[in-house]
């Protein structure tokens, strides 16, 4: 380690890398945020001036949760998730801040954590900033300033900043894409832009600009060594946000370059790709503009598509949006679980016969027990959908965001906010998983994950949902997500709008919106009618409206609004059975229970001790199922109770196939819980299933 320190001190470490890196140093040092006319948009995506966006982000902080589901989740993020994560990442166990301190020369030691650990720390910082954006706790802003100081000291003079490279004597910058430099860079740029938007400070942004300028000098060249370098490509999203903040088009050009390069080069093993699968695994087999099937690692794919959607928002290139439309449809209609989760397999292959890890496999091939469904992938699915919502202004994208948020995102963290899951299967059965051979699947929730990408991704998402709740439409405001909140924003024409939303959604389906202040001439209020919400009704000022509340659309309420006008939306929360497409063999003759946006599951703690989840059959009658809200159970949820059939004898033979005769049955009254709350009531592995076989009664 001492040798590494010495190399760093002498600056020899970087000089030994490629010539282009050295050449950029002088030109990078002069450009800082203070010399630029920065854009003052404050959205999570600053698409205020993006020409091809229909639904624009509200400024972060304009929507504040006041009561109900998201207010409570935000509070848990503020009071438990972030403090706990802080103790991990700034301490020796998580070691993320230590890595920066060591690189900065402020501490002795070695790098610990995955190659992407820096990026995960930037995500944690982003989560803190979203909380600061809501509660304005100055201690949080100062905390971030302290981190920025350390990160700035860790950054090399030429802008390079990657502790997983800097702290190893035998690693050189941009030598092998498996070291996740692009991923760390992307989160650095995004986090710095969010920091500027929420605090108005440029100290983090200066670090990001210096870093992005180095990237530009290398990756805008035609050097084929860098042609396939993008790997987990969050840098595309980060560069577009940096373009939006600084208005410097070079960052948009570089973002586009990463898309243009993908699929351009021969897919073969090279020194730059060694150590990780190639081809479809990293979406380099087919150029994006020619793609119509989501392939490869699900997180890599969806960050890539999300970045491409950001580029389209600025360029309006038809070929790009045509491909993104096809890819979104492919994911949502052929590769997504009922929970919104994606990435069906830990190990598998693409239809082009490339090896795949943690990713997409065949269409409609949807295993339950071995489903991978990394929390990050599910979140990325909603991030991609949020961008597509912006581009098209269609409710189906917000439907996917909502499905992910209430189900396969929140399932990644326990109710208390300090235990995590990386994989999110739809069924667990004792003995069906060989945990010795698994590195990210666990029988119970974990207090720390060596691969820490998911926890900060989830916490920043929970902290930022208020920024997704509304969008500015062309002539008004769109309500994307329901929850008790207050909104004070400025519409596209510059007029101010204040309203409040009161609801117990998703446990109850009535939503009341009261206008508090608005412009005097007519404008639109768009209400998302979820695709499941048949029979929804809209009332304006106590009178039933003739405006159609068609499921799967935004209902457009255009009129002259005034203070104290009220809108009441009734979304019927029926308990529904959901079945899969006929091509999904894994759920044939099975149903899942869904009420509103919430998918339910059955967990073995709600079964007799001797029963297995495999013994349970659902009675084919939703009328005998009943929903009840329990304020003190699992953080406050509606459960569904009803009778199930239990098969008395079950297969205990090791034979793969065996004869069966008519089994005996008992009836058992049980409780279904929201899927996201499973694995919260036992310190041991429980069995759980979303889909269960159904016994229909003849009518
Ligand atoms: Zn992850």
């Amino acid at each position: 380690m001492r040798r590494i320190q010495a190399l760093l001190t002498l600056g020899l470490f970087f000089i030994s890398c490629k010539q282009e890196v050295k050449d950029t140093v002088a030109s990078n040092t002069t450009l800082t945020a203070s010399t630029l006319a920065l854009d003052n948009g404050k959205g999570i995506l600053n698409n205020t001036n993006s020409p091809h966006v229909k639904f624009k982000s509200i400024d972060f902080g304009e929507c504040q949760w006041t009561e109900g589901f998201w207010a409570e989740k935000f509070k848990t993020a503020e009071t438990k998730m972030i403090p706990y994560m802080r103790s991990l990442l700034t301490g020796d166990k998580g070691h993320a801040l230590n890595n920066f301190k060591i690189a900065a020369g402020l501490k002795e030691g070695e790098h610990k954590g995955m190659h992407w650990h820096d990026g995960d720390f930037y995500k944690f910082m982003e989560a803190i900033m979203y909380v600061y954006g809501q509660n304005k706790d100055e201690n949080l802003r100062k905390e971030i300033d302290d981190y920025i100081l350390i990160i700035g000291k860790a950054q090399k003079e030429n802008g390079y900043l990657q502790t997983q490279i800097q702290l190893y004597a035998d690693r050189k910058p941009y030598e092998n894409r498996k070291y996740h430099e692009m991923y760390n860079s992307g989160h650095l740029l995004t986090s710095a832009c969010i920091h500027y938007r929420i605090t108005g400070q440029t100290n983090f942004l200066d670090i990001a600009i210096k870093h992005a300028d180095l990237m530009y000098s290398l990756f805008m060249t035609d050097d084929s060594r860098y042609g396939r370098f993008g790997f987990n490509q969050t840098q595309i999203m980060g560069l577009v946000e940096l373009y939006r903040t600084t208005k410097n088009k070079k960052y948009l050009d570089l973002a586009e370059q990463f898309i243009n390069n993908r699929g351009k080069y021969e897919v073969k093993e090279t020194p730059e790709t060694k150590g990780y699968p190639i081809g479809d695994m990293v979406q380099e087999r087919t150029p994006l503009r020619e793609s119509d099937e989501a392939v490869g690692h699900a997180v890599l794919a969806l960050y890539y598509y999300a970045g491409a959607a950001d580029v389209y928002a600025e360029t309006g290139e038809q070929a790009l949006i045509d491909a993104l439309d096809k890819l979104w449809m492919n994911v949502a209609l052929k590769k997504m679980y009922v929970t919104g989760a994606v990435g069906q397999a830990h190990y598998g292959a693409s239809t082009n016969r490339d090896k795949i890890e943690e990713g997409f496999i065949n269409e409609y091939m949807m295993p339950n027990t071995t489903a991978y469904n990394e929390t990050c992938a599910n979140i990325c699915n909603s991030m991609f959908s949020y961008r597509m919502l912006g581009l098209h202004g269609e409710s189906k994208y917000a439907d996917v965001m909502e499905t992910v948020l209430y189900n396969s995102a929140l399932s990644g963290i326990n109710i208390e906010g300090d235990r995590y899951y990386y994989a999110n299967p739809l069924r667990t059965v004792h003995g069906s998983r060989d945990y010795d051979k698994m590195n990210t699947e666990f029988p119970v929730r974990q207090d720390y994950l060596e691969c820490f990408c998911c926890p900060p991704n989830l916490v920043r998402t929970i902290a930022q949902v208020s920024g997704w709740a509304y969008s500015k439409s062309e002539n008004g405001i769109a309500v994307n997500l329901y929850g008790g909140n207050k909104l004070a924003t400025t519409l596209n024409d510059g007029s101010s709008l204040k309203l409040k939303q009161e609801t117990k959604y998703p446990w109850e389906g009535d939503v009341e919106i009261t206008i508090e202040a608005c412009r005097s001439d007519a404008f639109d209020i768009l209400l998302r009618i979820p695709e499941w919400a048949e029979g929804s009704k809209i009332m304006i000022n106590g009178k039933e409206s003739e405006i159609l509340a068609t499921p799967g659309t935004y209902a457009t309420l255009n009129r002259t609004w005034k203070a104290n006008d009220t809108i009441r939306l009734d979304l019927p929360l029926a308990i529904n059975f959901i079945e899969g497409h006929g091509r999904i063999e894994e759920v044939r003759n099975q149903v899942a229970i869904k009420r509103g946006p919430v998918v339910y599951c059955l967990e073995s703690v709600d079964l007799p001790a001797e029963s297995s989840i495999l013994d349970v059959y659902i009675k084919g009658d939703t009328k005998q199922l009943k929903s009840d809200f329990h304020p003190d159970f699992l953080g406050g949820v509606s459960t569904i109770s009803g009778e199930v059939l239990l098969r008395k004898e079950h297969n205990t033979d090791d034979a793969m196939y065996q004869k069966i005769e008519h089994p005996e049955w008992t009836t058992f009254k049980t409780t279904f819980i929201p899927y996201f709350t499973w694995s919260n009531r036992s310190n041991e592995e429980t069995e759980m299933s979303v889909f269960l076989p159904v016994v229909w009664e003849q009518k």
Side-chain angles (χ1 to χ4, degrees):
M1 204 57 232
R2 201 167 291 144
R3 183 175 141 72
I4 295 173
Q5 287 295 330
L7 280 170
L8 285 169
T9 312
L10 291 168
L12 292 173
F13 190 64
F14 209 91
I15 292 167
S16 63
C17 91
K18 290 154 185 157
Q19 188 61 33
E20 295 88 333
V21 180
K22 202 174 112 190
D23 290 342
T24 60
V25 175
S27 63
N28 286 338
T29 48
T30 52
L31 195 63
T32 62
S34 58
T35 62
L36 296 164
L38 300 173
D39 191 272
N40 56 13
K42 294 178 171 50
I44 288 172
L45 306 180
N46 178 12
N47 48 25
T48 311
N49 300 311
S50 305
H52 304 282
V53 173
K54 288 184 177 151
F55 275 18
K56 309 219 167 184
S57 300
I58 56 169
D59 282 359
F60 193 77
E62 289 185 337
C63 171
Q64 299 262 346
W65 299 121
T66 51
E67 58 170 10
F69 189 90
W70 288 113
E72 286 158 24
K73 290 294 169 207
F74 180 84
K75 198 80 199 159
T76 308
E78 182 184 22
T79 58
K80 190 71 191 247
M81 295 177 190
I82 285 177
Y84 178 70
M85 195 169 286
R86 177 187 294 121
S87 72
L88 289 174
L89 293 182
T90 65
D92 291 337
K93 188 167 187 177
H95 206 268
L97 188 61
N98 284 353
N99 290 337
F100 287 108
K101 283 181 180 169
I102 297 163
L106 301 170
K107 188 177 172 74
E108 287 285 317
E110 296 178 353
H111 181 271
K112 282 186 193 160
M114 300 292 177
H115 305 319
W116 45 94
H117 215 41
D118 290 2
D120 297 336
F121 191 74
Y122 300 137
K123 276 187 283 186
F124 163 67
M125 291 172 70
E126 202 184 328
I128 293 177
M129 286 178 259
Y130 292 128
V131 171
Y132 171 73
Q134 299 256 313
N135 72 8
K136 299 293 178 194
D137 177 351
E138 280 302 303
N139 289 324
L140 296 178
R141 195 179 57 76
K142 285 179 194 146
E143 176 187 352
I144 293 289
D145 273 346
D146 290 343
Y147 299 152
I148 293 169
L149 212 57
I150 295 164
I151 291 166
K153 283 187 178 146
Q155 185 173 35
K156 307 291 288 183
E157 187 52 40
N158 65 1
Y160 191 73
L161 179 57
Q162 305 277 347
T163 69
Q164 82 285 16
I165 302 293
Q166 290 169 245
L167 299 188
Y168 289 85
D170 58 347
R171 292 180 189 170
K172 296 185 178 66
Y174 306 117
E175 182 185 56
N176 184 319
R177 64 187 187 184
K178 78 173 178 186
Y179 291 123
H180 282 68
E181 285 153 297
M182 294 297 115
Y183 174 87
N184 291 340
S185 295
H187 286 300
L188 166 63
L189 305 188
T190 299
S191 200
C193 287
I194 293 296
H195 179 255
Y196 166 70
R197 289 171 197 172
I198 290 177
T199 66
Q201 296 177 204
T202 56
N203 45 341
F204 204 9
L205 196 58
D206 280 335
I207 292 170
I209 290 171
K210 199 169 164 184
H211 185 71
D213 286 347
L214 172 68
M215 290 169 70
Y216 184 88
S217 70
L218 295 175
F219 295 99
M220 280 305 282
T221 63
D222 288 328
D223 189 331
S224 62
R225 285 174 305 175
Y226 299 131
R228 293 167 66 201
F229 204 82
F231 175 70
N232 194 344
Q233 306 205 83
T234 66
Q235 84 278 12
I236 302 175
M237 286 182 287
L239 283 162
V240 175
E241 290 312 321
L242 193 62
Y243 159 67
R244 288 165 170 170
T245 294
T246 63
K247 305 181 200 171
N248 190 337
K249 189 166 173 294
K250 67 191 269 192
Y251 305 125
L252 176 63
D253 293 341
L254 181 56
E256 197 170 18
Q257 169 87 340
F258 283 111
I259 296 169
N260 297 344
N261 275 350
R262 215 93 197 125
K264 187 165 134 186
Y265 296 88
E266 187 187 355
V267 176
K268 61 177 183 183
E269 194 81 82
T270 67
E272 287 82 26
T273 67
K274 217 170 165 208
Y276 218 85
I278 60 175
D280 279 340
M281 170 68 178
V282 296
Q283 300 84 37
E284 63 175 350
R285 180 73 65 191
T286 312
L288 191 130
R289 294 173 181 86
E290 296 166 27
S291 297
D292 56 12
E293 184 187 5
V295 294
H297 192 290
V299 176
L300 272 58
L302 288 159
Y303 276 147
Y304 179 33
Y305 306 156
D310 287 338
V311 169
Y312 170 80
E314 306 303 325
T315 65
E317 184 196 339
Q318 193 62 39
L320 213 48
I321 192 65
D322 287 348
L324 290 170
D325 286 343
K326 287 178 197 162
L327 290 165
W328 188 89
M329 295 288 278
N330 183 251
V331 173
L333 301 181
K334 295 179 177 177
K335 298 196 178 191
M336 188 176 82
Y337 285 89
V338 69
T339 56
V342 286
Q344 302 112 297
H346 195 152
Y347 301 106
S350 71
T351 48
N352 291 318
R353 302 180 191 182
D354 283 331
K355 184 183 175 188
I356 300 299
E357 291 181 7
E358 309 182 345
F360 293 111
I361 51 173
N362 299 38
E363 294 169 352
Y364 301 111
M365 192 183 281
M366 311 296 292
N368 291 303
T369 313
T370 57
Y372 196 66
N373 294 345
E374 178 181 341
T375 307
C376 279
N378 311 338
I379 292 167
C380 294
N381 193 22
S382 63
M383 289 170 67
F384 178 36
S385 289
Y386 178 56
R387 284 156 172 81
M388 295 298 276
L389 173 69
L391 300 181
H392 290 301
E394 292 174 24
S395 68
K396 64 183 181 185
Y397 303 108
D399 281 348
V400 168
M401 289 160 56
E402 182 176 69
T403 301
V404 170
L405 287 171
Y406 283 117
N407 301 292
S408 53
L410 286 177
S411 57
I413 195 161
N414 65 340
I415 300 298
E416 289 291 310
D418 57 1
R419 296 289 181 275
Y420 313 111
Y421 268 146
Y422 190 95
N424 295 279
L426 275 75
R427 180 177 298 151
T428 52
V429 180
H430 291 318
S432 66
R433 290 176 146 206
D434 192 352
Y435 292 108
D436 289 347
K437 292 180 183 164
M438 295 174 170
N439 54 1
T440 44
E441 296 95 329
F442 301 97
V444 292
R445 295 179 182 277
Q446 303 291 297
D447 61 1
Y448 181 65
L449 299 170
E450 284 294 321
C451 175
F452 204 69
C453 53
C454 298
N457 207 7
L458 180 50
V459 174
R460 76 168 175 160
T461 302
I462 293 167
Q464 76 176 182
V465 175
S466 61
W468 288 0
Y470 296 89
S471 296
K472 297 179 198 180
S473 66
E474 190 183 353
N475 186 36
I477 195 85
V479 189
N480 304 323
L481 301 171
Y482 297 106
N485 64 61
K486 274 180 176 265
L487 175 73
T489 189
T490 308
L491 298 180
N492 284 337
D493 69 340
S495 64
S496 64
L497 171 69
K498 284 188 185 173
L499 55 79
K500 69 174 175 190
Q501 189 184 141
E502 293 163 288
T503 180
K504 294 194 169 83
Y505 191 85
W507 313 122
E508 293 180 22
D510 53 309
V511 178
E512 186 144 319
I513 294 171
T514 307
I515 311 289
E516 294 181 329
C518 65
R519 76 192 202 197
S520 55
D521 52 335
F523 65 94
D524 295 340
I525 294 180
L526 307 180
L527 302 178
R528 183 176 64 91
I529 313 299
E531 47 83 24
W532 47 262
E534 285 170 29
S536 295
K537 287 199 176 75
I538 297 167
M539 314 252 291
I540 298 175
N541 294 333
K543 285 189 197 141
E544 193 159 328
S545 163
E546 292 185 359
I547 294 159
L548 284 179
T550 309
T553 69
Y554 278 91
T556 303
L557 283 58
N558 178 280
R559 56 181 273 150
T560 305
W561 300 95
K562 59 182 189 316
N564 298 319
D565 278 350
T566 59
I567 302 165
R568 188 186 159 101
L569 172 65
D570 279 324
L571 301 166
L573 292 184
I575 298 171
N576 291 317
F577 284 150
I578 306 294
E579 70 170 343
H581 187 282
R583 282 179 59 191
I584 311 175
E585 288 190 57
E586 293 88 342
V587 298
R588 284 289 292 153
N589 301 320
Q590 298 167 50
V591 294
I593 294 174
K594 199 173 169 206
R595 180 174 179 268
V598 179
V599 175
Y600 284 75
C601 71
L602 183 59
E603 194 175 12
S604 53
V605 286
D606 296 309
L607 290 174
E610 70 279 10
S611 299
S612 163
I613 201 81
L614 298 178
D615 298 330
V616 182
Y617 290 67
I618 288 188
K619 286 183 174 181
D621 175 16
T622 53
K623 289 193 197 74
Q624 61 102 11
L625 298 174
K626 192 165 156 289
S627 171
D628 288 298
F629 182 72
H630 303 276
D632 300 320
F633 182 58
L634 294 169
V637 295
S638 285
T639 62
I640 290 174
S641 57
E643 288 183 341
V644 294
L645 297 169
L646 287 181
R647 181 176 151 177
K648 278 180 83 175
E649 313 84 23
H650 50 258
N651 182 352
T652 52
D653 198 318
D654 261 353
M656 191 156 175
Y657 303 101
Q658 59 187 297
K659 188 176 81 174
I660 180 173
E661 293 181 357
H662 194 299
E664 281 189 39
W665 301 87
T666 55
T667 299
F668 181 74
K669 183 157 187 205
T670 191
T671 301
F672 296 85
I673 57 166
Y675 168 73
F676 78 85
T677 66
W678 86 281
S679 191
N680 269 282
R681 292 176 290 162
S682 172
N683 294 324
E684 294 175 0
E685 184 186 42
T686 58
E687 293 193 332
M688 174 278 294
S689 192
V690 170
F691 279 97
L692 290 164
V694 61
V695 181
W696 300 104
E697 289 171 14
Q698 280 193 342
K699 283 193 175 173

